[in-house]
Amino acid sequence: MTSKLGSTFAAVLAATLGSVAGVAGANQYNLQPPQSIIANQIYDLHTLIMWIIFAIFVLVFGFMMYAIIKHRKSVGHQAEQFHENTTVEIIWTIIPFVILIGMAYPATKTIIAMKDTSNPDITIKATGYQWKWGYDYLQEGVSFYANLATPRDQIDGNNNDARKNNPNYLLEVDNAVVVPVGKKVRMIITANDVIHSWWIPAFGVKQDAIPGFVRDTWFKADHVGIYRGQCAELCGKDHGFMPIVVEVVEQDKYAAWVAEQKKKTTAVAVDPAKQWTLDELKAQGEKVFAANCVACHQANGMGIPNTFPALSGSKIATGPKDAHMNIVLNGKPGTAMAPFKHLSDVEIASVITYERNSWANKTGDMVTPAEIKAARK
Amino acid sequence: MEAAHGHGYGHDEHAHHPSGLMRWVTTTNHKDIGTLYLWFSFSMFIVGGILALMLRAELFQPGLQLWEPHFFNQLTTMHGLIMVFGAIMPAFVGFANWQVPLMIGAPDMAFARMNNWSFWLLPPAAILLVTSFFVPGGATAAGWTLYAPLSTQMGPGMDLAIFALHIMGASSIMGSINIITTILNMRAPGMTLMKMPLFVWTWLITAYLLIAVMPVLAGAVTMVLTDRHFGTTFFNAAGGGDPVMFQHIFWFFGHPEVYIMILPAFGIVSQIVPAFARKPLFGYSSMVYATSSIAILSFIVWAHHMFTVGMPAASQLFFMYATMLIAVPTGVKVFNWIATMWKGSMTFETPMLFACGFIFVFSMGGFTGLVLAITPIDIQLQDTYYVVAHFHYVLVAGSLFAIFGGVYYWLPKWTGHMYNETLGKVHFWLTMIFFNVTFFPMHFSGLAGMPRRVPDYALQFADFNMLSTIGAFGFGLSQMLFLYVVVTCIRGGAKAPDKVWEGAQGLEWTVPSPAPYHTFEIPPVVK
């Protein structure tokens, strides 16, 4: 019932705006279609409050417009000199108060429901990084990162055609979060560097990701489908380029997905005793660099002048290995260089090796996973 | 009365002050300082406006065409800082300087030399802000809210912004002390507190808010500064700090700050509406109580800016209820303005157009404020364009419209000439229409899920953003007309009478136009 009123309301607004500004009707004028209990409640609350506001608007500005039309000098209206009326003033203080209580009651129930993260079926930890999301399925032992999948050449410049043909422009990732339909998913949310915010509008879920702190929220998806959101808290340069995609599937597909992810994890797991060559590490490091470092330091290692330092020819990437390992592991406080402790020994060793032997850097050094393991202590 | 004034102000041409540039540098005259504040504010309004148009130009269509994302973030940040601290706040202090002594029958502000100093602190602060674009790494790109730990990552531009905020805060505090002292001690005989014009009341309350919260902001940014350079970890969890604490401190300043920017606007509108309705302000005392209630409530609602940080349900409920309560006194104010219009004898010169526009469009910002007060809806809309639409409805259609209305209302008194009424009306209608073309579509993109502070967006938001950009350029260009109207009014025009508007009440209309350099050297008596 209320949802219907909501769409009526949106249609009225759409018609008004469409006729005023000549905008095509294809745009969306309301909240995204809700896909969870909470999102439904939010949608209905919003509709309820819009109707109340609409009624107040018509009433109050009806009086104002009437006065503007009738009580003007040009139609010969004489000013009366009243300037107080205690009864009226008390009435228009109390009536809004009562209306507010009517709004607060359903809102309170929703707030309490939103906070109830108990008894989840699945718990997923989401970690915000500059600028991607990392996910860990705590019981299943599945972990991966989700990067923006929209190619760079669609974003830069006047490449309108490529953009137009991509319906999910800026809203697509390489690895989506997969969850089963109708199960309560508890999201544990944190960040590695600055504050981010994990947001899926269709589920009515938004929770800031705060470095050093853990917060939680939950959702239960009503229907199978792909749901998209974006980081909602300014987190630096690529804040607009770290989307969130949740794929809701049937339970059996979910189980198959988990099994497949586990297999992948074992396949890429490396024997810790493996003896690496410089070329192997460099090749591996290039991938790690592309996934973690390229946003700031750039593919050519030149960084962005005055904002993100160049690695090519830098003192750290050509100087002593210890300082290089230290900055990658622990970051540099007061700058955008975050700690990368969360990467594996092999990943850190390979990316450092790559950085010390690429572009103008020709140190010939090799940093082994064992050295990283030692440096962590 | 008139004759007495003609005699009393006859010697004004001989007012002693240096001429040329030194007049303005050394002046301790409240009218000169008011003028300086207003011109400073207008120049910062232009600078902030250019930044806004630069970022709207990038958002004209999807994709990155003009700026790289880091520079785009600098634009949004500096647009916010410059408009809030450079344009809106100084404009109201300019009004206070010009009008408070004239309206309470005082010869000048209480601390004339400090008044000079509080103005001349502002240009250096503005230079720090603007030049920060040219230091290595550019201006701060952490958003005008300067949230840690993002702000601790920034380059030296952040330090310049911190020092600028320190200086502007000192200026605001001095200005506030001056205004409070003037109002409490220098009223004309017979002008009791409850006889003061409402503009004076709103500024008295605003000044207390400023003194209460500017030091809080100074503390917050100083902690960021020491985190950046001196090894403290106030906002760094790895060192035992808490990033969310920054937000609590910032918004403890930030929410009263919002009312600092709107209460004097309420005051201006409360002067204009009775004048053009030719009818006394309805519910004067309830206006005073409503303003005070808004000011007091502003200290207990700050965390509604932070509903998504994950505070416990009890805190969310408290801040939601407190925030909703603000609708009551704000509603009282709107009802009183409309009751003032009711059965009046209204005319619609430019000041009244802006006042009516203010009531109408500001109320829409109030309505969306109510939507955002509801925590579950806020969690959905936090950090989307809906919020951008909301605060521009209250800050542009609220504060800025009131400033325009006030300028047109008092300009004949300040310059001695009438402004061009037709052009003034054209300015109002252009401003009103382009304002709505710019900001109304943002409600829809926000509802549909467009995050704020992004240089690029998904395709479904393209139409609304294109419309906003067109509106923004129209809005910006319309303000050139305002400049033209003001400059031509200063240079000449029909001679303004002492009492410029038929229905205007108050002491400022008993002195000649233009107001002489020194007024009320002998205090008037208010009955």
Side-chain angles (χ1 to χ4, degrees):
Chain A
M1 177 62 192
T2 30
S3 293
K4 205 174 161 194
L5 282 175
S7 44
T8 320
F9 196 86
V12 171
L13 278 177
T16 322
L17 191 93
S19 56
V20 170
V23 168
N27 286 297
Q28 199 187 327
Y29 294 90
N30 204 340
L31 293 165
Q32 293 184 12
Q35 299 290 341
S36 74
I37 309 164
I38 295 294
N40 265 300
Q41 290 184 13
I42 292 175
Y43 191 95
D44 291 345
L45 261 176
H46 178 254
T47 306
L48 168 76
I49 285 161
M50 285 311 285
W51 278 112
I52 294 174
I53 285 172
F54 187 66
I56 299 173
F57 180 89
V58 169
L59 187 77
V60 172
F61 291 105
F63 273 99
M64 183 165 133
M65 288 318 286
Y66 184 86
I68 285 177
I69 292 164
K70 296 281 183 179
H71 304 153
R72 51 164 74 213
K73 199 181 178 189
S74 57
V75 297
H77 196 274
Q78 296 292 315
E80 294 186 13
Q81 292 302 312
F82 66 85
H83 56 87
E84 259 175 0
N85 186 326
T86 313
T87 321
V88 172
E89 289 176 62
I90 289 175
I91 289 172
W92 71 37
T93 309
I94 290 175
I95 289 180
F97 199 79
V98 174
I99 297 175
L100 289 178
I101 293 173
M103 291 179 175
Y105 179 70
T108 303
K109 286 204 293 191
T110 304
I111 291 176
I112 291 166
M114 288 172 107
K115 283 285 168 193
D116 179 16
T117 53
S118 58
N119 304 317
D121 298 309
I122 299 174
T123 303
I124 304 173
K125 179 175 152 212
T127 309
Y129 298 92
Q130 285 173 316
W131 293 273
K132 61 172 177 279
W133 290 94
Y135 296 99
D136 298 281
Y137 286 61
L138 297 187
Q139 292 102 329
E140 292 78 0
V142 171
S143 296
F144 56 88
Y145 295 102
N147 288 285
L148 177 73
T150 305
R152 212 55 232 188
D153 61 348
Q154 286 187 22
I155 298 170
D156 290 321
N158 287 310
N159 205 346
N160 275 326
D161 290 336
R163 277 195 284 278
K164 255 180 222 145
N165 295 326
N166 181 357
N168 297 318
Y169 176 71
L170 293 190
L171 298 176
E172 50 193 347
V173 296
D174 50 2
N175 299 306
V177 178
V178 178
V179 298
V181 68
K183 294 282 174 166
K184 184 167 184 176
V185 180
R186 176 174 176 236
M187 296 298 301
I188 296 183
I189 295 179
T190 186
N192 184 54
D193 32 47
V194 298
I195 301 175
H196 303 265
S197 192
W198 198 86
W199 179 33
I200 294 285
F203 298 153
V205 164
K206 184 186 285 153
Q207 172 59 54
D208 288 358
I210 301 160
F213 289 80
V214 171
R215 301 282 198 254
D216 67 348
T217 183
W218 69 277
F219 65 88
K220 193 191 275 182
D222 291 344
H223 305 286
V224 168
I226 296 177
Y227 303 101
R228 297 167 196 278
Q230 286 177 274
C231 175
E233 181 65 60
L234 178 64
C235 55
K237 178 171 83 76
D238 284 348
H239 162 55
F241 306 94
M242 48 183 290
I244 297 147
V245 179
V246 175
E247 195 178 340
V248 179
V249 297
E250 299 291 354
Q251 177 66 40
D252 52 339
K253 276 197 185 163
Y254 171 72
W257 177 82
V258 170
E260 192 198 334
Q261 292 298 311
K262 279 188 171 164
K263 222 187 288 168
K264 259 201 229 165
T265 320
T266 357
V268 295
V270 224
D271 174 9
K274 177 180 160 72
Q275 292 299 314
W276 292 81
T277 67
L278 190 133
D279 285 339
E280 280 172 343
L281 275 175
K282 214 180 134 184
Q284 174 77 10
E286 189 166 5
K287 286 180 213 151
V288 179
F289 186 85
N292 295 282
C293 320
V294 76
C296 298
H297 296 298
Q298 306 295 313
N300 60 6
M302 295 310 291
I304 294 174
N306 291 330
T307 308
F308 301 116
L311 298 182
S312 182
S314 87
K315 274 188 196 144
I316 287 173
T318 54
K321 284 198 282 190
D322 285 349
H324 196 166
M325 289 193 284
N326 181 48
I327 196 168
V328 175
L329 279 170
N330 301 316
K332 187 176 175 190
T335 70
M337 182 65 197
F340 282 88
K341 277 200 271 268
H342 53 278
L343 299 180
S344 70
D345 292 346
V346 173
E347 285 170 317
I348 294 181
S350 62
V351 81
I352 293 178
T353 307
Y354 171 74
E355 287 169 359
R356 299 178 74 79
N357 296 288
S358 301
W359 318 299
N361 303 347
K362 309 233 169 343
T363 59
D365 288 349
M366 182 170 110
V367 175
T368 62
E371 285 175 81
I372 300 298
K373 199 171 177 189
R376 276 184 201 271
K377 284 172 191 147
Chain B
M1 204 52 185
E2 290 300 314
H5 275 130
H7 179 75
Y9 292 109
H11 64 273
D12 185 61
E13 298 88 272
H14 312 296
H16 303 290
H17 56 69
S19 57
L21 183 64
M22 284 317 282
R23 165 182 171 183
W24 300 103
V25 174
T26 60
T27 183
T28 54
N29 180 288
H30 74 100
K31 301 185 183 79
D32 281 355
I33 293 172
T35 306
L36 285 171
Y37 265 108
L38 289 167
W39 278 115
F40 172 81
S41 151
F42 187 77
S43 20
M44 294 314 281
F45 174 64
I46 298 297
V47 175
I50 290 170
L51 300 181
L53 294 184
M54 285 166 76
L55 66 91
R56 279 301 343 157
E58 173 60 57
L59 293 170
F60 184 63
Q61 50 179 352
L64 293 176
Q65 286 85 15
L66 299 174
W67 323 117
E68 54 98 14
H70 184 69
F71 182 67
F72 181 91
N73 290 344
Q74 297 177 29
L75 290 176
T76 54
T77 304
M78 298 307 283
H79 164 69
L81 286 175
I82 286 177
M83 285 302 199
V84 167
F85 294 100
I88 300 291
M89 291 171 67
F92 284 126
V93 183
F95 275 103
N97 262 292
W98 253 105
Q99 289 307 126
V100 165
L102 281 180
M103 293 169 101
I104 63 172
D108 206 312
M109 298 292 280
F111 306 114
R113 284 166 196 273
M114 186 167 83
N115 205 12
N116 172 289
W117 180 229
S118 54
F119 171 76
W120 281 107
L121 280 175
L122 289 179
I127 291 167
L128 283 179
L129 277 182
V130 174
T131 52
S132 73
F133 273 108
F134 305 103
V135 301
T140 170
W144 86 277
T145 49
L146 306 174
Y147 276 11
L150 186 60
S151 50
T152 57
Q153 284 189 352
M154 295 293 144
M158 182 70 207
D159 303 314
L160 297 187
I162 290 173
F163 292 133
L165 288 176
H166 281 148
I167 296 171
M168 290 186 290
S171 158
S172 286
I173 291 169
M174 282 190 247
S176 302
I177 292 172
N178 216 339
I179 287 167
I180 292 174
T181 315
T182 308
I183 295 174
L184 292 185
N185 293 296
M186 296 175 66
R187 296 192 309 280
M191 179 169 283
T192 58
L193 282 176
M194 289 309 271
K195 277 188 187 169
M196 290 196 309
L198 212 74
F199 176 72
V200 180
W201 254 116
T202 54
W203 242 117
L204 179 65
I205 294 165
T206 304
Y208 276 107
L209 287 182
L210 274 168
I211 290 181
V213 300
M214 290 314 286
V216 178
L217 173 68
V221 295
T222 306
M223 286 194 265
V224 170
L225 187 75
T226 60
D227 269 14
R228 287 168 55 77
H229 297 295
F230 304 110
T232 59
T233 53
F234 290 112
F235 308 124
N236 177 358
D242 182 352
V244 178
M245 185 173 71
F246 178 87
Q247 300 182 26
H248 281 293
I249 302 172
F250 180 87
W251 287 114
F252 187 82
F253 146 80
H255 203 80
E257 168 69 15
V258 174
Y259 295 126
I260 287 165
M261 291 189 281
I262 201 64
L263 294 183
F266 289 168
I268 292 175
V269 170
S270 303
Q271 299 301 129
I272 294 175
V273 172
F276 293 91
R278 293 166 179 76
K279 199 166 153 275
L281 182 69
F282 186 89
Y284 172 90
S285 42
S286 70
M287 285 299 229
V288 173
Y289 302 140
T291 312
S292 317
S293 319
I294 294 173
I296 291 164
L297 284 174
S298 76
F299 286 105
I300 57 164
V301 297
W302 77 89
H304 69 211
H305 298 270
M306 309 161 48
F307 280 145
T308 60
V309 299
M311 59 183 105
S315 314
Q316 291 194 337
L317 290 173
F318 170 79
F319 285 107
M320 176 175 80
Y321 299 149
T323 306
M324 293 173 81
L325 267 186
I326 290 184
V328 175
T330 313
V332 165
K333 300 203 77 110
V334 173
F335 302 148
N336 279 337
W337 288 321
I338 293 175
T340 308
M341 294 180 181
W342 193 252
K343 292 193 188 280
S345 177
M346 283 190 278
T347 51
F348 296 91
E349 288 88 345
T350 313
M352 185 62 164
L353 286 178
F354 271 107
C356 293
F358 168 95
I359 297 171
F360 185 69
V361 191
F362 169 79
S363 297
M364 297 219 260
F367 286 139
T368 53
L370 196 52
V371 172
L372 290 170
I374 309 294
T375 309
I377 308 179
D378 180 83
I379 287 176
Q380 187 71 288
L381 296 176
Q382 155 105 14
D383 270 316
T384 67
Y385 261 79
Y386 193 90
V387 174
V388 178
H390 161 71
F391 68 71
H392 283 93
Y393 265 76
V394 290
L395 280 180
V396 179
S399 311
L400 186 65
F401 276 26
I403 289 168
F404 284 145
V407 168
Y408 284 110
Y409 184 58
W410 284 305
L411 197 57
K413 176 59 62 190
W414 298 342
T415 63
H417 305 126
M418 296 306 291
Y419 60 88
N420 184 325
E421 191 63 60
T422 313
L423 287 184
K425 285 179 176 167
V426 172
H427 172 230
F428 166 74
W429 285 110
L430 287 177
T431 302
M432 182 76 171
I433 291 166
F434 282 123
F435 168 79
N436 283 291
V437 174
T438 309
F439 294 105
F440 205 75
M442 291 183 184
H443 292 113
F444 298 125
S445 34
L447 282 170
M450 178 169 165
R452 65 191 278 214
R453 294 166 163 171
V454 290
D456 194 7
Y457 46 81
L459 300 178
Q460 74 252 38
F461 310 119
D463 291 357
F464 290 137
N465 274 283
M466 188 174 277
L467 198 58
S468 286
T469 298
I470 294 168
F473 276 85
F475 187 89
L477 286 176
S478 308
Q479 306 321 314
M480 295 300 103
L481 181 61
F482 173 67
L483 180 64
Y484 176 80
V485 173
V486 170
V487 170
T488 48
C489 178
I490 292 169
R491 292 198 169 166
K495 174 92 185 73
D498 292 3
K499 188 175 170 186
V500 178
W501 311 106
E502 187 188 14
Q505 301 291 327
L507 290 174
E508 75 263 42
W509 309 109
T510 64
V511 303
S513 300
Y517 201 64
H518 297 294
T519 38
F520 299 125
E521 283 163 302
I522 299 157
V525 176
V526 179
K527 292 191 187 79

